[in-house]
Amino acid sequence: MRARTMVSMAVTACVALMACVACGPENSKEDADAKPSQSSASTRAGEPSVTPSASARTEEPSATPTGDQPAPRTKAGAIKRYEQYLHALGHEDIDTVCEVAGPAAKKAQDQGLGPCKSTYATVFQMISPAQKKALRTATVDPQRVVVRKPDKMEMPVAAVRSSATFSESDLGNYTLEYLKTDWYITD
């Protein structure tokens, strides 16, 4: 119950900050994100499709360790997925963040927060450069992960090991659940 309260407080803080920043940096960030996407699409049209696919496949296994096969339904599998999320936060990799946190982001959107990409654009602005750098290599202490059920794990902020210190208001506690074939942040 306490973890949910802390997550709710973190989401509330994000909502407040998002409301303050809603018209400025979010739009310019979306515009910046849209332009490279459009130019890469036009670049791909002019280049053989083998080159972009090969580079995407080279990067994907590190970003998505499970590939086409189901992720392990284990504590280690949940930790690996959560570390993937933490690293994506540090790199401001919005696609990976929104994929891993999709179910929780959908709940937040249903409560009025807005789409995942615009919400996390605001969250990225709240993370200091030192914290982002630390998140890129953050690990999770398995002894601090709470197993609620075989398909439900709680990742307290105290489990995050990095060169920066994170409080519950900085990062929060997360619940990961195994849905279909992978672990997702649901709360």
Side-chain angles (χ1 to χ4, degrees):
M1 189 75 163
R2 185 171 178 236
R4 285 192 176 147
T5 303
M6 296 312 292
V7 169
S8 296
M9 290 173 52
V11 168
T12 303
C14 287
V15 170
L17 284 169
M18 193 167 123
C20 294
V21 189
C23 294
E26 175 184 316
N27 291 338
S28 63
K29 176 131 179 84
E30 284 180 7
D31 290 343
D33 287 345
K35 289 175 186 164
S37 203
Q38 291 168 351
S39 65
S40 66
S42 62
T43 304
R44 285 184 186 156
E47 293 179 6
S49 62
V50 176
T51 304
S53 297
S55 65
R57 285 189 187 130
T58 303
E59 293 175 14
E60 264 187 49
S62 64
T64 308
T66 59
D68 292 335
Q69 297 184 9
R73 189 181 236 174
T74 61
K75 183 178 182 179
I79 289 170
K80 190 171 189 177
R81 182 74 157 170
Y82 186 57
E83 287 176 347
Q84 176 187 14
Y85 168 79
L86 295 173
H87 299 167
L89 273 178
H91 287 288
E92 294 189 21
D93 177 356
I94 194 83
D95 293 328
T96 301
V97 166
C98 286
E99 194 240 309
V100 176
K106 177 68 174 130
K107 284 181 188 177
Q109 183 175 353
D110 292 346
Q111 294 173 356
L113 238 168
C116 183
K117 289 189 176 188
S118 62
T119 301
Y120 270 99
T122 302
V123 171
F124 291 151
Q125 294 172 3
M126 296 168 31
I127 303 170
S128 74
Q131 288 175 321
K132 285 179 190 171
K133 184 176 180 182
L135 284 169
R136 292 176 192 150
T137 57
T139 59
V140 174
D141 180 354
Q143 295 179 357
R144 293 186 178 250
V145 174
V146 180
V147 178
R148 294 290 177 210
K149 298 179 186 176
D151 60 351
K152 187 173 186 176
M153 311 277 172
E154 288 188 28
M155 303 289 176
V157 70
V160 176
R161 299 287 178 233
S162 73
S163 59
T165 302
F166 293 95
S167 68
E168 288 183 17
S169 62
D170 292 333
L171 192 56
N173 300 313
Y174 290 96
T175 300
L176 273 76
E177 290 186 63
Y178 194 88
L179 306 172
K180 297 180 184 178
T181 61
D182 213 338
W183 291 94
Y184 294 91
I185 295 174
T186 57
D187 196 15

